[in-house]
Amino acid sequence: MARVEGLIPWDTYTCDLPIGKDRHNNNKYITHPNGKPSTTHFEKYEYYEDNQTIVLCTLETGRTHQIRVHLSSLGFPIVNDAIYGKVTSDEDMALCAYELTWPHPVTGEYYTCTLVDYDDDTIYISDEEVDE
């Protein structure tokens, strides 16, 4: 889940731009035709104050900085992203995990941890076993 600068015009969008290292900046990645295949699915969650949008992001691949690079390349950098956008306040970068699913290392059963709600000080999560 990310809060981005700008009002995203689409309800859902899939970005499959390849990602590679920026040869001018060792800490940065860019979309580039010779980069590694990268796919991120985006879903508009809601418009937010100050010309911002909250977006659900689902990774199909796992490239370094993938969500940040794709959103920035689409013209919607994450709020307070010092590398791919700009810092506008002393808040943290507006990117957090909404849901994580993983297999138990012994039983192989899948578990999911989902963000239910959060405010500036507290994160509330729910966990449940899921069938995959």
Side-chain angles (χ1 to χ4, degrees):
M1 178 178 278
R3 185 164 37 104
V4 301
E5 298 289 349
L7 301 177
I8 291 179
W10 27 261
D11 291 327
T12 61
Y13 184 80
T14 296
C15 182
D16 59 2
L17 297 170
I19 294 176
K21 285 191 78 78
D22 183 338
R23 64 186 179 125
H24 302 290
N25 183 339
N26 287 335
N27 297 324
K28 191 173 183 179
Y29 290 78
I30 59 172
T31 58
H32 190 277
N34 295 330
K36 294 181 180 179
S38 307
T39 303
T40 310
H41 304 284
F42 297 108
E43 180 181 346
K44 178 172 54 183
Y45 183 73
E46 68 181 6
Y47 289 127
Y48 196 74
E49 59 193 44
D50 298 328
N51 199 42
Q52 298 173 351
T53 307
I54 296 177
V55 184
L56 300 177
C57 314
T58 303
L59 296 170
E60 212 171 280
T61 53
R63 306 289 174 225
T64 302
H65 298 185
Q66 181 173 324
I67 294 170
R68 298 165 70 190
V69 172
H70 275 169
L71 283 169
S72 179
S73 72
L74 295 170
F76 302 101
I78 296 172
V79 171
N80 287 327
D81 185 339
I83 297 175
Y84 301 99
K86 60 184 175 181
V87 176
T88 57
S89 74
D90 60 355
E91 295 178 8
D92 292 334
M93 180 172 49
L95 175 66
C96 70
Y98 171 75
E99 183 174 271
L100 299 172
T101 300
W102 67 94
H104 188 281
V106 175
T107 67
E109 295 175 279
Y110 282 85
Y111 290 88
T112 295
C113 181
T114 304
L115 177 71
V116 176
D117 193 14
Y118 78 88
D119 57 34
D120 290 338
D121 301 317
T122 309
I123 296 175
Y124 306 93
I125 59 173
S126 167
D127 61 340
E128 62 183 55
E129 187 177 322
V130 296
D131 295 323
E132 293 261 332

